[in-house]
Amino acid sequence: MRDVAVVGFAQRQMPVFDGSPTCVELLVPLFAECYEQTGWTRRDIGFWCSGSSDYLAGRSFSFVSAVDAIGVIPPVNESHVEMDLAWALYEAWLKIQTGEVDTALVYAFGKASAGVLRRTLALQLEPYTMTPLWPDTISLAGLQARAGIDAGVWDERAMAEVANRSLTDAEKNEYAIRKGGSSVEELLSRPMYADPLRKHDCSPVTDGAAAIVLAAGDRAREVRDRPAWIGGLAHHIDPISVGTRDLTRAPSAARSAAALDLDGVEVAELHAPFSHQELVLRRELGLADDVRVNPSGGALTSNPMFSAGGIRIGEAAARIWSGEASKAVAHATSGPALQQNLLCVLGATTEGAPN
Amino acid sequence: MTKQPAAVIGVGQTHHRAKREDVSMAGLCREAIDRALLDANLSLDDIDAIVVGKAPDLFEGVMMPELFLAEALGAVGKPLLRVHTAGSVGGSTAIVAASLVQAGVHKRVLTVAFEKQSESNAMWALSVPLPFNMPVHAGAGGYFAPHVRSYIRRSEAPTHVGAIVAAKDRQNALKNPYAHLKNPDTTVESVLASQMLWDPIRYDETCPSSDGACALVIVDEDTAAASPNPAWIHGTAMRSEATTAAERDQVNPQASRDAAAALWKQAGITDPIEEIDAAEIYVPFSWFEPMWLESLGFAEANGGGWRLTESGGTAMDGRLPVNCSGGVLSSNPIGASGMLRFGEAALQVRGAAGEHQVDGARRALGHAYGGGSQFFAMWVVGSEKPSN
């Protein structure tokens, strides 16, 4: 396999992105930041891949106008996944592995505030029997949280501890839209929102976009002294039905972890839009107690649909670049109650990269 | 670093109809998957990863349907990717699936593309008004008719060339057991007598709206070597350009020409018309055959395409048989249409195309385009392992 690294990352996360239903205006400055970081222009990018969702945009072909942000005359080598940014990054990593290109810029965008997100996401369910009942995202997450509490796998206090740490860490993240920790007791005294979830157990509706630059070998070294080398990528999916799954587990996350080398991971950026989901993921990934989880504040403090998973990779890479960590793992999820999961291991050296 | 060799060893497709009321989305996909696996002599247990493609989710009214389909697709416990690149998606999906093998990440990949347009209303799914964008609510024919008129004016084409394509593809479809339209009496004269929809596009020169799916099994060198007739992948290309721009040539888009140039180079082809034995080209409106023949380099620009078509050169017994399966003009499950072109090209070089087989086809083109003629995906497959 080729050595491929994350060498650029730009993001925007906000409660409401005013106007611009095509999100082109949101993407243009992000690409500019990527060019600034790499010293490249669009002509140095060998492959482009985006992630987005037509249902989130409320229209067909939401990615079509987004390519205008790239400036696609002359034409570019380009693709799109109807998935989170993290999977767009996976497709780009594949493309670099084929040897066809050496560099890629991947991006994703979404304006969750345009509709009622928890109802929009109900359209992801099984359409013939589940969707007509309109079980919304928060209710499904509530069922999952309750399943874990009833099984004795976690309790409300453990969930509040996750929320408190995330809100405290988010104070240092300029993009986090909910921030400010207090105490576990204070959080537990707040009212229920969807029992057993309180509002701080649920990620806020977030608009946003992100872009990540990948480069192989020397192209990566020309950009950064300390590129964040991809040590491995793995992703798997579970069945959707929440009635037959053990909601306290995420087998696809465990399977992905088993496919990778997570020994010595110091930082984990986990895409957990609900506090209890971080607890599920810690267990499935087998993370040691001293692993620093979500120093960015994580998805619990801002969760822009279709970029939040990729942002975890960007945040983890930034900690490798800065020297804060030598090995990190980033995680992205999709589908209800952690149905589909992706893991990306990042390191300061190419050792441990897949061969 | 070069790509690992990859080959198609299984092709499956559904019977295409306006409404497949006998199956759900899961059943539709499974019909194609089961045929592809049977063809490949593999089971779902042998498959390492699954790549799904389809056009907009509004066509069925389900957000990211691959999530609920995971179990029916046999994807549970496996990696699953979902591609969406407008009308070219079936082609792009096959290319992404191929890249999983070419990158050396997986050995046996199943890819499936589908559209069950009858579950929703495609016309309305494409007609959501967007602020600051020009309204194009006349359907795809209304959008593409000016391109066709422009081609006719530029190339001085006689106006019956589109009817030649339609009559040819509908006759070819009679040889394809899976084709949607089976109109035995279609002739150039009957096409010309059909109703004008968007001048110069007549009713019989348009594609149907179909439910359908296509699946391919793409494998590594060792697995392919054990197959009796692998279709080796000689080259793949994707290119995109903007919908609108003053300098765009929408009759012969640069993204199309760039993709073709990259494709022929990868496949080691210098003279496409001499070296390609069969072509499955995305032709949803009949005039796109001569237009794409020129853009792909099979014929000279501004007239070579219609001359090749008019001469009978694109008929099954012609110099370059085009759309022997009946093409998009005979079956159009949008998300699957591109993969059907890629799969039919593979069937040709595997000698497995049945009644619509081109004798001795050794290298074939699969082609798809989407959006406002702005997204392109294409591949070349061959009966021999590529030397490059």
Side-chain angles (χ1 to χ4, degrees):
Chain A
M1 304 298 275
R2 303 180 82 188
D3 294 330
V4 178
V6 176
V7 298
F9 171 49
Q11 62 172 315
R12 294 287 186 280
Q13 303 184 69
M14 62 201 86
V16 176
F17 176 47
D18 219 5
S20 191
T22 65
C23 288
V24 169
E25 291 152 74
L26 197 50
L27 290 167
V28 170
L30 294 183
F31 297 161
E33 281 180 42
C34 288
Y35 299 145
E36 180 79 19
Q37 288 175 32
T38 55
W40 297 343
T41 70
R42 63 184 284 276
R43 287 168 197 268
D44 294 298
I45 306 297
F47 182 66
W48 301 77
C49 194
S50 62
S52 69
S53 161
D54 282 355
Y55 259 98
L56 195 68
R59 60 162 301 202
S60 294
F61 302 132
S62 64
F63 56 91
V64 171
S65 46
V67 300
D68 289 352
I70 302 172
V72 286
I73 288 181
V76 293
N77 189 1
E78 191 261 346
S79 184
H80 171 259
V81 294
E82 192 83 356
M83 306 177 85
D84 183 274
L85 170 62
W87 279 269
L89 181 143
Y90 181 75
E91 185 182 329
W93 176 81
L94 283 176
K95 193 67 132 184
I96 296 174
Q97 290 302 337
T98 67
E100 194 183 313
V101 300
D102 298 326
T103 59
L105 198 161
V106 297
Y107 61 98
F109 56 94
K111 185 169 157 54
S113 71
V116 180
L117 181 63
R118 59 195 228 172
R119 278 178 72 84
T120 305
L121 292 176
L123 288 159
Q124 286 184 333
L125 301 170
E126 204 280 326
Y128 303 108
T129 59
M130 281 176 81
T131 305
L133 303 171
W134 288 97
D136 67 84
T137 327
I138 304 213
S139 304
L140 291 173
L143 289 171
Q144 185 179 34
R146 175 59 63 197
I149 291 170
D150 287 354
V153 187
W154 60 75
D155 56 20
E156 287 180 31
R157 173 164 290 272
M159 289 159 59
E161 282 167 1
V162 167
N164 193 41
R165 196 207 64 238
S166 299
L167 290 164
T168 305
D169 285 337
E171 290 168 21
K172 297 189 286 290
N173 180 351
E174 63 175 303
Y175 298 108
I177 67 172
R178 184 186 284 167
K179 54 182 89 177
S182 52
S183 69
V184 170
E185 277 65 32
E186 194 273 323
L187 291 180
L188 285 173
S189 70
R190 292 184 187 175
M192 284 293 179
Y193 179 56
D195 191 353
L197 300 175
R198 295 174 171 84
K199 271 214 166 168
H200 54 253
D201 291 310
C202 314
S203 57
V205 172
T206 312
D207 292 351
I212 292 176
V213 186
L214 296 182
D218 289 342
R219 294 305 305 272
R221 292 184 190 94
E222 99 192 14
V223 173
R224 291 194 182 269
D225 296 334
R226 197 178 150 93
W229 298 101
I230 294 176
L233 273 162
H235 64 101
H236 296 88
I237 193 165
D238 294 321
I240 200 164
S241 170
V242 293
T244 54
R245 268 199 273 161
D246 176 356
L247 291 176
T248 67
R249 307 302 303 252
S252 58
R255 196 178 278 258
S256 299
L260 302 170
D261 173 14
L262 299 186
D263 285 350
V265 160
E266 300 151 61
V267 170
E269 278 283 340
L270 306 179
H271 186 194
F274 298 92
S275 57
H276 65 276
Q277 292 182 343
E278 180 183 304
L279 302 170
V280 175
L281 290 165
R282 283 195 78 122
R283 178 184 179 198
E284 298 298 3
L285 271 55
L287 295 180
D289 289 343
D290 61 349
V291 173
R292 182 85 169 89
V293 175
N294 289 343
S296 67
L300 209 50
T301 62
S302 47
N303 184 39
M305 294 303 299
F306 296 90
S307 26
I311 286 172
R312 307 278 71 77
I313 298 176
E315 288 285 355
R319 279 172 174 79
I320 303 285
W321 299 339
S322 71
E324 207 175 314
S326 297
K327 188 169 181 181
V329 63
H331 160 267
T333 196
S334 177
L338 300 175
Q339 185 197 357
Q340 189 174 23
N341 296 283
L342 177 146
L343 294 179
C344 176
V345 177
L346 296 160
T349 67
T350 56
E351 273 174 50
N355 290 306
Chain B
M1 178 78 195
T2 52
K3 289 180 185 175
Q4 302 292 313
V8 180
I9 63 162
V11 179
Q13 61 181 291
T14 59
H15 290 280
H16 306 287
R17 286 203 296 275
K19 286 187 183 188
R20 283 295 307 268
E21 287 171 322
D22 56 326
V23 284
S24 63
M25 272 176 257
L28 191 73
C29 289
R30 198 55 185 262
E31 192 174 310
I33 288 171
D34 288 350
R35 286 194 179 108
L37 287 170
L38 185 68
D39 188 17
N41 196 26
L42 294 176
S43 76
L44 277 169
D45 290 342
D46 301 313
I47 297 298
D48 303 321
I50 294 177
V51 186
V52 178
K54 68 173 296 303
D57 289 357
L58 272 68
F59 277 5
E60 286 82 7
V62 186
M63 182 179 188
M64 303 162 78
E66 68 282 0
L67 293 171
F68 96 86
L69 289 170
E71 210 159 5
L73 299 178
V76 165
K78 291 174 182 165
L80 181 142
L81 266 174
R82 157 76 194 282
V83 181
H84 175 14
T85 66
S88 63
V89 65
S92 308
T93 305
I95 290 174
V96 174
S99 72
L100 272 163
V101 176
Q102 292 170 325
V105 173
H106 291 301
K107 292 184 188 308
R108 293 171 302 269
V109 175
L110 172 70
T111 183
V112 59
F114 75 97
E115 209 72 73
K116 201 158 189 298
Q117 287 179 239
S118 67
E119 300 257 340
S120 182
N121 185 315
M123 180 73 196
W124 287 110
L126 291 175
S127 304
V128 180
L130 270 191
F132 317 120
N133 279 41
M134 58 182 178
V136 185
H137 288 180
Y143 186 85
F144 290 123
H147 304 188
V148 172
R149 280 200 298 277
S150 190
Y151 171 74
I152 292 172
R153 175 182 48 77
R154 230 196 244 194
S155 69
E156 298 176 347
T159 52
H160 65 278
V161 171
I164 293 174
V165 176
K168 165 183 74 78
D169 286 4
R170 296 281 159 67
Q171 289 299 318
N172 288 348
L174 300 175
K175 299 183 170 69
N176 177 358
Y178 297 106
H180 176 172
L181 295 186
K182 300 273 193 180
N183 301 333
D185 302 324
T186 306
T187 61
V188 173
E189 292 69 32
S190 73
V191 175
L192 288 172
S194 70
Q195 188 182 359
M196 186 67 82
L197 291 184
W198 305 275
D199 194 354
I201 300 172
R202 291 182 166 83
Y203 181 79
D204 279 356
E205 294 178 281
T206 66
C207 54
S209 206
S210 316
D211 286 355
C214 180
L216 306 176
V217 179
I218 300 176
V219 298
D220 69 327
E221 189 169 16
D222 290 345
T223 314
S227 165
N229 55 351
W232 296 95
I233 297 166
H234 288 218
T236 64
M238 288 193 279
R239 291 292 184 275
S240 308
E241 69 181 47
T243 322
T244 54
E247 66 268 46
R248 253 198 104 197
D249 182 351
Q250 297 185 72
V251 173
N252 194 351
Q254 190 186 341
S256 166
R257 285 177 279 133
D258 288 0
L263 181 75
W264 301 138
K265 189 175 174 213
Q266 258 184 58
I269 286 171
T270 52
D271 187 357
I273 190 136
E274 288 304 320
E275 297 172 70
I276 292 291
D277 303 314
E280 283 281 337
I281 302 175
Y282 205 100
V283 178
F285 300 99
S286 62
W287 280 94
F288 275 93
E289 177 179 294
M291 287 162 68
W292 292 144
L293 285 172
E294 295 177 15
S295 193
L296 288 162
F298 286 115
E300 278 183 30
N302 294 330
W306 69 256
R307 287 188 180 88
L308 184 59
T309 295
E310 194 187 38
S311 74
T314 58
M316 271 204 62
D317 57 356
R319 191 174 173 204
L320 176 73
V322 175
N323 294 335
C324 301
S325 65
V328 181
L329 274 177
S330 304
S331 316
N332 187 33
I334 298 180
S337 291
M339 192 172 286
L340 286 164
R341 309 280 70 71
F342 279 46
E344 288 285 350
L347 287 175
Q348 288 291 345
V349 300
R350 296 170 73 212
E355 273 191 71
H356 61 284
Q357 176 71 44
V358 173
D359 283 343
R362 300 171 61 80
R363 272 196 288 196
L365 167 77
H367 164 274
Y369 85 98
S373 289
Q374 66 194 114
F375 300 110
F376 295 87
M378 27 189 109
W379 78 6
V380 169
V381 284
S383 53
E384 303 288 329
K385 194 155 75 176
S387 51
N388 52 327

